[in-house]
Each structure stands twice: as structure tokens, then as C-alpha cells.
Amino acid sequence: MGNKITKDFLRREFEELKNDMNQGNLPKVAAEYKERLNEMEKLPLNIAVTGQTGSGKSSFVNAFRGINDDDDEAAKVGPVEETMKPEVYPHPSFPNIKLWDLPGMGTSIFQATEYLKKVQFERYDVVIIVISDRFTENDALLAKEIERRRKKFYYVRTKIDACIKAERRKRTFNLEQTLENIRNYCEDSLKKATKLSARVFLVSNLYAHMYDFPLLQETMTAELPDHKKHILTLAVHIFSENELMKKKELMKAYIKKIAWVSCACGALPLPGLSIACDVGILIDALRRFCQVFGLDDRSLRFLALQTGKGFEELRSAIKKTPLANTINAELVFSLLTKSSLWVTVSMVELALDVIPVIGSLFGGASSYVVTYHFLNNFLDDAVEDAQNVLAKLLE
């Protein structure tokens, strides 16, 4: 798959770039795009996870981050309350997304009235209230207080896999009916205790691809403010074609910003600089693509454990894209040299670099075009490989 670069496209890009350079706009435009890129990577998103002791809060934090419970960077999981104070866990691929594992409410250490003061709900963009087995008075209190603070919150009923396993012993077992009964109980209890109507998401921390975990991700993303919506979209697990396509659209916009930064670098009148600059920019961009689409070692191992598939089985579905941890300067340069477009413009660029203005114009435009074309091709390959992995998961 690829994006066709036509003569008309090249002519338009050169004319637009020439106008920008004549007006002195190129550095300004490039700086604006670079600033937006930095904002996308640094804009914070804070998600609080709270609830009763033993409800599965810490396991949920791990599952949402794509971390297995026994990984070094995992939130501590155990039969007793492991969290003594709010603990922050950055997303491994998107560290601007932070999940806060809050202490269990209602223990002898954290009484309800004192708890609400200590956890500082004001600092969070979203609050997730985790419940299991039975709806309690503390669950109701939390909902009321978070609603009073005008914070977005979601109720998550965990350990659905254990509940379903127990119910399967009954001769009259019906999966859809069992899930509906659990959801109705939770939602009715919430409404009775708080007068609030809210959907309850039924999830399994051990099998994040099942039940309502994908729907929770999708709902949270859709309901975030516009300026933070894209942050979570890039980070969530890919469990549907719809999630995959949303990521693709965001990365297409990301490509144009990257291409403008490359353009500014290529326009500087220093022989060979744009080639070196392009390679450095592309290393970061390709790694980001792989992380967004789950084409990295950590993501594949998490999905393998969650779905019961073998790591190598999932890895074999990736035909065109290198894993994120294998991307380096040597690999990027190797991929570039296979591009006839890059080879052609690089040779011309080196010849023109010694000619002021013309060399800068061609260097900037060629860097833009090569980067834009190269990354769009890589995006197509990454999406295709992500679709292959998704197909394996759903087999």
C-alpha cells in the first residue's frame, strides 16, 4: 500500500513553500507545528481509580495501561489493601496519561469523611469507581461527592469473569441474561442510593478484550473534552476496527505536522543536514506509530496473556512493520534507501545545497515531501498489520 506522489502534488508543495519562504513564514509555520506536537505529547490526562478494598482497582489500573500484574511497573495487587496513599502510574507508551490508584475507601485506615479530603478529586479529569459483588453505602457516597464536584465518573463492575464462571454451573445459564441481570442490579442500586442514573460497565481485568472493557474505552474517549480526546484515543487498546480507524485519522494529521518540522530542518543551508535531520525525525515518528497501533513487544505480550494466544502467534501476524524496540537509525536509513523518491531528491539536494536560496527551497520542500510520503506509506503498513493482529485476537 502507498500514497502516489504526482507531479502536480510536487509542484503545489514547491509553490506553497516558495510563497512561505518569500513571506518569511516558514520558520513560524514549522515552529507552530513543533509546538503542537509537543502539546500532543505533554498535555496531561489524569484518571483516578477508586472504590472498595478488594474490588480490583489495582488490576484495573494495570489492564487499562496494558501492563500485566507481575510486571515491574505494575500497580501492586494483593488480597489486602496494598495502596496506602494515592499512587500515580504513567501509561508506559504515553507518560502524559496518568492513572491514579487511590486507597480503598471505608477501611479502618481510610474512613469515608476523611477519605474524600485526602484523595483530592479536583486534580483528576475522570474518575472511575470500581465495584465488585455488592453495591455499598460507600459506593453511593463516592458517586454523590464526585457528582457534586461536577467531575465525570464511570462505574465499573469488575471480576465479571469469576461471576460468569460461577453462573455457568447452573443448567439454565444464559450469558446475555446473566450480564443483563448484573448490570440491572448495579444500575438500580446506584439510582436507589444516589438518585443518579449512570451506566455500569461490566469488565474483566484478566480478559480486557471481553465484556464492556472496549466499550468503556470508547465511551471515555468520546466524552472527554475535545482538546484531550485525541490523547486517550491514541493510547487505548485496539479491540475493534472503529478504534483502529480513529487512530489512523489522528496519525494522518500527525504526519503533516512532522513533515513541516522536517521541512524547516531541510531548508537550513547546511550541506547534508536535512538528510541527518530526516533520519532522526523518522526514528521518533516510526516508534510512535508502532506504540499507537500496539506493534511493540510489551503490547503483544499483554494481549497474548489476556486472550490466551501465543506471543509468537500474534507476532507472526505482523508482516510489514518492525516492532518499536527494533527501530533505530540503521533501520530507518535502510528503509529510506529503498525509496526511489528519497534517493532521487537526496542526490539533487546534495548538489543544490551549495547554491543559496535554491538549495534551501529544494531542501525544505524535498524534506517535506519525502517525510510525508514515507510516513503515509508506513502508516498504511502499520494499519494493515494492526488489522492482522486484531483478526488473530478475534479468532
Side-chain angles (χ1 to χ4, degrees):
M1 299 177 73
N3 293 275
K4 188 176 181 181
I5 301 294
T6 65
K7 290 182 179 179
D8 287 340
F9 172 81
L10 290 172
R11 189 179 298 111
R12 286 196 305 271
E13 294 300 326
F14 272 87
E15 286 301 320
E16 289 178 9
L17 180 61
K18 184 178 179 181
N19 290 336
D20 281 333
M21 291 187 75
N22 288 338
Q23 297 170 20
N25 290 338
L26 180 58
K28 180 181 178 183
V29 172
E32 287 176 355
Y33 275 119
K34 192 167 186 178
E35 183 177 350
R36 290 178 197 171
L37 284 174
N38 291 334
E39 286 177 356
M40 187 171 75
E41 295 177 359
K42 294 180 180 179
L43 190 65
L45 179 63
N46 290 291
I47 302 172
V49 182
T50 184
Q52 291 291 310
T53 298
S55 60
K57 296 184 285 83
S58 298
S59 288
F60 178 84
V61 167
N62 293 334
F64 200 93
R65 296 162 61 229
I67 296 289
N68 295 317
D69 286 344
D70 58 353
D71 288 348
D72 292 339
E73 62 269 46
K76 292 182 180 179
V77 175
V80 297
E81 180 60 53
E82 296 283 351
T83 309
M84 295 295 105
K85 58 185 174 67
E87 296 282 356
V88 61
Y89 294 94
H91 190 286
S93 299
F94 301 86
N96 54 318
I97 300 177
K98 294 180 172 62
L99 275 85
W100 293 79
D101 188 5
L102 305 185
M105 182 173 163
T107 66
S108 57
I109 303 175
F110 303 105
Q111 294 301 317
T113 54
E114 183 184 2
Y115 180 87
L116 294 169
K117 296 177 182 178
K118 286 189 174 181
V119 296
Q120 298 178 319
F121 281 113
E122 291 75 14
R123 76 168 78 171
Y124 310 116
D125 297 287
V126 177
V127 180
I128 294 173
I129 303 175
V130 178
I131 58 176
S132 65
D133 300 324
R134 293 289 181 267
F135 190 89
T136 70
E137 182 181 341
N138 283 330
D139 295 323
L141 177 60
L142 273 173
K144 287 178 181 178
E145 287 298 320
I146 295 169
E147 174 75 9
R148 189 171 65 83
R149 288 169 167 80
R150 300 185 180 277
K151 287 290 181 180
K152 190 69 181 175
F153 73 93
Y154 300 91
Y155 259 106
V156 171
R157 165 62 157 89
T158 56
K159 305 182 181 180
I160 290 298
D161 52 300
C163 187
I164 295 300
K165 183 179 180 180
E167 289 294 311
R168 283 188 186 277
R169 299 174 183 175
K170 299 179 180 179
R171 287 178 295 176
T172 58
F173 172 76
N174 178 280
L175 178 60
E176 288 73 22
Q177 187 61 54
T178 299
L179 292 173
E180 184 179 350
N181 291 342
I182 297 171
R183 184 178 288 109
N184 288 341
Y185 163 77
C186 293
E187 292 178 355
D188 290 346
S189 298
L190 172 65
K191 190 170 185 179
K192 181 178 179 181
T194 66
K195 311 302 181 188
L196 300 174
S197 294
R199 170 155 193 167
V200 176
F201 295 87
L202 311 182
V203 309
S204 165
N205 297 331
L206 296 179
Y207 307 103
H209 62 297
M210 298 176 65
Y211 311 116
D212 288 343
F213 210 117
L215 179 61
L216 173 65
Q217 290 185 156
E218 187 175 340
T219 304
M220 288 177 63
T221 300
E223 294 180 352
L224 279 170
D226 288 341
H227 68 290
K228 291 197 174 185
K229 200 181 297 289
H230 70 277
I231 304 174
L232 192 56
T233 299
L234 294 177
V236 297
H237 309 299
I238 299 175
F239 293 134
S240 71
E241 185 74 13
N242 184 44
E243 289 169 327
L244 182 57
M245 290 301 107
K246 287 180 181 178
K247 288 174 180 274
K248 181 179 180 180
E249 287 306 308
L250 284 176
M251 295 313 289
K252 287 179 76 70
Y254 176 76
I255 286 172
K256 189 168 185 179
K257 296 180 180 69
I258 289 288
W260 268 108
V261 175
S262 176
C263 169
C265 203
L268 295 174
L270 297 174
L273 176 63
S274 66
I275 295 176
C277 188
D278 286 344
V279 172
I281 290 171
L282 292 175
I283 290 173
D284 291 338
L286 298 193
R287 286 174 180 168
R288 173 64 62 177
F289 275 59
C290 290
Q291 290 168 341
V292 166
F293 292 103
L295 305 176
D296 60 276
D297 189 87
R298 179 192 54 76
S299 295
L300 291 177
R301 293 193 184 281
F302 172 76
L303 291 174
L305 186 61
Q306 289 269 320
T307 60
K309 305 286 184 180
F311 170 79
E312 291 301 331
E313 181 182 2
L314 295 182
R315 176 68 182 87
S316 67
I318 302 174
K319 307 293 185 183
K320 297 182 176 181
T321 314
L323 291 185
N325 61 306
T326 67
I327 296 174
N328 52 31
E330 183 179 357
L331 175 65
V332 170
F333 194 79
S334 172
L335 293 174
L336 281 171
T337 56
K338 295 176 183 178
S339 166
S340 58
L341 174 65
W342 183 83
V343 172
T344 301
V345 299
S346 295
M347 292 176 64
V348 175
E349 180 183 333
L350 287 173
L352 294 177
D353 265 344
V354 296
I355 306 176
V357 182
I358 296 178
S360 294
L361 173 61
F362 188 87
S366 63
S367 289
Y368 180 96
V369 172
V370 168
T371 301
Y372 184 87
H373 180 59
F374 180 83
L375 289 181
N376 271 286
N377 282 338
F378 192 90
L379 174 61
D380 288 338
D381 289 344
V383 169
E384 184 177 335
D385 280 338
Q387 288 172 323
N388 293 338
V389 172
L390 179 60
K392 282 282 186 184
L393 293 177
L394 300 178
E395 283 180 354

